[in-house]
Amino acid sequence: MTSARVDVVFPCLNEEGALPWVLSHLPEGYRAIVVDNGSTDRSALIAEAAGALVVHEARRGFGSAAHAGLLAATAPIVTFCDADASMDPRDLEPLVALVSSGAADLALGRRQPTTRGAWPLHARVANFALARLMRRATGAPLHDLGPMRAANREALLGLELTDRRSGYPLEMVLKASRAGWTIVEKATPYSPRIGRSKVTGTIRGTVVAITDMSRLLRSNNAEDE
Ligand SMILES: Nc1nc2c(ncn2[C@@H]2O[C@H](COP(=O)(O)OP(=O)(O)OP(=O)(O)O)[C@@H](O)[C@H]2O)c(=O)[nH]1
Ligand SMILES: [Mg+2]
């Protein structure tokens, strides 16, 4: 049982270095759900010791971890945040305020790099191109496919998201838009992560992300035809 007003889903793959900082920056009344995606380090132990609910999801992939967290959540509002300390969980509060006031059905953090090293150039270029396609597909004035998000739990479950890799955040926006949701973006600071980069810092990770997202955009366009 939880009386948390907000659940925070942290997809987690080997983030033992970042978790102590991340979990000590939760706003009051927020509960952490750390989804351990087969970590080989001490992530799960550290999360448990910090008082988080730990969910184990063996199937690899960002979407797989994020969705397992959504299924485990019980609070009326569910948020998502990376567990690598690139984002401060306290910055979830303005996003939650947008959802709880009814100003947004889906609130997205638009990443604002705090230093030059926070967001590698190739990742920014890929994000820029995908965001343009996303704007075209949804008509919403969005600029980032960032992972920091807030929405109502039951509404999110109703979207029936199926992507289990890196297309999950984009699928969420596309389906929310089709369902007529108000999608609002708000600037959030983005700092260099703690620990080794897995996606944007590697070419393979970036290629997988672009492949997944391009496929989603193609099938979304096909539905329009
Ligand atoms: N890449 C990846 N991340 C996962 C997975 N499962 C959970 N995660 C977590 O998802 C969050 C986002 O992944 P990151 O590796 O930070 O991806 P990113 O922010 O695009 O890129 P970098 O920070 O540069 O690695 C982190 O908290 C990861 O630990 C998975 O299967 N793959
Ligand atoms: Mg990251």
Side-chain angles (χ1 to χ4, degrees):
M1 271 298 285
T2 176
S3 56
R5 195 168 56 87
V6 177
D7 276 332
V8 191
V9 175
F10 291 105
C12 173
L13 177 60
N14 294 329
E15 302 290 2
E16 66 179 2
L19 280 174
W21 184 90
V22 170
L23 297 176
S24 65
H25 286 77
L26 279 182
E28 191 68 34
Y30 285 34
R31 175 179 70 157
I33 300 178
V34 173
V35 185
D36 180 26
N37 208 195
S39 296
T40 51
D41 69 2
R42 290 166 46 83
S43 291
L45 288 172
I46 290 170
E48 232 165 71
L53 171 66
V54 177
V55 172
H56 295 276
E57 172 54 60
R59 208 177 127 187
R60 274 287 167 92
F62 176 84
S64 182
H67 200 70
L70 171 61
L71 293 178
T74 54
I77 294 182
V78 176
T79 62
F80 297 85
C81 184
D82 280 357
D84 59 4
S86 57
M87 285 162 272
D88 187 330
R90 290 173 299 189
D91 291 325
L92 286 167
E93 286 189 293
L95 302 183
V96 168
L98 283 168
V99 173
S100 51
S101 70
D105 299 305
L106 176 62
L108 307 176
R110 177 182 180 180
R111 289 171 288 181
Q112 308 284 303
T114 55
T115 64
R116 256 203 285 164
W119 204 352
L121 181 66
H122 67 272
R124 257 196 250 198
V125 170
N127 191 64
F128 180 84
L130 287 165
R132 225 177 61 171
L133 294 170
M134 176 172 71
R135 279 197 296 278
R136 214 177 288 163
T138 64
L142 306 172
H143 301 85
D144 189 14
L145 279 160
M148 197 174 244
R149 279 135 192 257
N152 283 305
R153 183 175 57 85
E154 283 179 10
L156 266 180
L157 287 168
L159 292 181
E160 299 184 342
L161 301 177
T162 56
D163 191 288
R164 294 295 179 260
R165 298 203 308 182
S166 40
Y168 189 83
L170 175 61
E171 187 189 17
M172 189 186 289
V173 172
L174 293 175
K175 287 198 167 160
S177 166
R178 279 193 177 274
W181 291 25
T182 304
I183 309 174
V184 177
E185 193 177 64
K186 197 167 176 61
T188 40
Y190 189 59
S191 308
R193 61 146 44 246
I194 294 177
R196 202 163 59 84
S197 171
K198 284 184 275 301
V199 180
T200 50
T202 69
I203 297 300
R204 185 183 175 275
T206 305
V207 169
V208 168
I210 293 174
T211 309
D212 287 354
M213 295 198 197
S214 305
R215 185 171 18 84
L216 276 169
L217 284 162
R218 271 199 307 275
S219 66
N220 185 68
N221 291 344
E223 276 181 49
D224 282 335
E225 280 158 12

